[in-house]
Amino acid sequence: MHRFALLMSAVFLAACSTGELRLVPAEDWRGLKPDEAASAASFREVSRKIGQEARAQCKRSDRTESCDFGIFVDLDPAAPANAFQTLDDQKRPAIIFTRSMIESTRNTDELAFVMGHEAAHHVLNHIARQSKNASIGAAKFGEAERIRGKGDAAVERAQKLGAKVGVQAYVQDFELEADQLGTIITFNAGYNPLVGAKYFDRIPDPGDSFLGTHPPNAERVQIVLETSRKLGLSP
Ligand SMILES: [Zn+2]
């Protein structure tokens, strides 16, 4: 499980440990329990503002097929705190928050920052770029095995490993890119990314493990600070 940010392949409403994802559009989210009503109202407001700014950034950058953002809540009560971006079958971007993710944010700035980060992954076309990196890695590793005279099974194993290595090579750069643009989206939507990034203080630090999908939290905070300074914000 990747907390906060999970780049999925271009499969929508696909496999999930508990079966089909059941989603509610952000504008219709009212919470399922009385104590969720307040955070649901915040979520609707943040979704509207971040959605608007994400569309504007997306159209300006013109790197993806669709800028028609959908923002949803995953109804699964057992789903851990997570937010991720994916594409539907028409390549439209979808940002999905689990209920526990919404509950785990402390204010609208944090909610906006997490949403801005996920929106940035789409504006920067990360899913397509990641899948291209996987293909290149698979082709290189597979070809190397073939040249060594290995059979189909060994070539296929090498391709699978190559795909992973190809993704791994850029995954942390993508996270930092998304933090940078996410900071801008958060700010332009009327929220404070410096307050929003406090969310990092509460999530486990992946440190600098070689196979980590996320950069160390300190590196991410640094990007937010630098970008905020350029926007004229100071801590
Ligand atoms: Zn991310």
Side-chain angles (χ1 to χ4, degrees), residues 180 183-184 194 218-233 235:
Q180 184 182 36
T183 297
I184 295 169
L194 293 169
E219 239 179 277
R220 304 185 64 181
V221 168
Q222 193 55 36
I223 286 276
V224 176
L225 283 171
E226 280 169 22
T227 311
S228 295
R229 199 166 43 235
K230 287 179 195 153
L231 294 167
L233 265 178

Side-chain angles (χ1 to χ4, degrees), residues 4-7 117-118 121 174-175 178 214 220:
F4 187 82
L6 172 65
L7 274 179
H117 172 96
E118 295 307 327
H121 273 308
F174 284 0
E175 288 310 315
H214 284 63
R220 304 185 64 181

Side-chain angles (χ1 to χ4, degrees), residues 48-98:
R48 190 171 48 76
K49 292 183 181 171
I50 292 286
Q52 201 174 1
E53 175 61 21
R55 262 189 298 282
Q57 290 281 348
C58 179
K59 286 188 174 148
R60 211 171 303 147
S61 84
D62 199 26
R63 296 173 78 158
T64 58
E65 286 180 42
S66 169
C67 292
D68 192 5
F69 279 90
I71 303 171
F72 301 92
V73 178
D74 171 2
L75 288 184
D76 182 355
N82 196 10
F84 58 93
Q85 185 255 315
T86 186
L87 298 171
D88 72 7
D89 51 10
Q90 290 166 54
K91 302 264 176 86
R92 287 178 306 201
I95 296 172
I96 300 169
F97 274 67
T98 62

Side-chain angles (χ1 to χ4, degrees), residues 5-214:
L6 172 65
L7 274 179
M8 292 183 66
S9 57
V11 178
F12 192 49
L13 307 186
C16 167
S17 58
T18 53
E20 287 267 293
L21 271 177
R22 286 194 304 136
L23 304 176
V24 172
E27 61 269 27
D28 297 333
W29 177 239
R30 296 290 185 279
L32 296 181
K33 294 188 297 185
D35 59 1
E36 278 181 303
S39 68
S42 298
F43 186 75
R44 292 197 301 275
E45 185 193 298
V46 169
S47 299
R48 190 171 48 76
K49 292 183 181 171
I50 292 286
Q52 201 174 1
E53 175 61 21
R55 262 189 298 282
Q57 290 281 348
C58 179
K59 286 188 174 148
R60 211 171 303 147
S61 84
D62 199 26
R63 296 173 78 158
T64 58
E65 286 180 42
S66 169
C67 292
D68 192 5
F69 279 90
I71 303 171
F72 301 92
V73 178
D74 171 2
L75 288 184
D76 182 355
N82 196 10
F84 58 93
Q85 185 255 315
T86 186
L87 298 171
D88 72 7
D89 51 10
Q90 290 166 54
K91 302 264 176 86
R92 287 178 306 201
I95 296 172
I96 300 169
F97 274 67
T98 62
R99 285 166 65 196
S100 51
M101 180 73 217
I102 296 172
E103 294 303 313
S104 76
T105 54
R106 289 199 175 148
N107 49 57
T108 49
D109 295 305
E110 288 190 0
L111 201 49
F113 184 78
V114 174
M115 205 180 284
H117 172 96
E118 295 307 327
H121 273 308
H122 177 70
V123 175
L124 297 162
N125 203 21
H126 281 167
I127 289 179
R129 286 164 67 194
Q130 195 172 74
S131 112
K132 192 175 166 201
N133 292 339
S135 305
I136 293 170
K140 275 190 192 160
F141 275 55
E143 188 54 23
E145 281 297 85
R146 206 179 290 287
I147 286 170
R148 291 170 58 203
K150 299 291 174 120
D152 286 349
V155 168
E156 201 177 308
R157 272 198 305 277
Q159 285 170 335
K160 280 187 184 148
L161 177 64
K164 277 189 195 152
V165 171
V167 165
Q168 196 62 42
Y170 292 98
V171 75
Q172 296 204 357
D173 290 349
F174 284 0
E175 288 310 315
L176 294 175
E177 274 183 30
D179 283 332
Q180 184 182 36
L181 179 59
T183 297
I184 295 169
I185 292 173
T186 303
F187 177 76
N188 288 350
Y191 296 98
N192 188 331
L194 293 169
V195 176
K198 298 270 184 230
Y199 188 79
F200 289 131
D201 296 347
R202 298 200 305 282
I203 58 172
D205 195 329
D208 48 8
S209 80
F210 175 65
L211 287 173
T213 53
H214 284 63

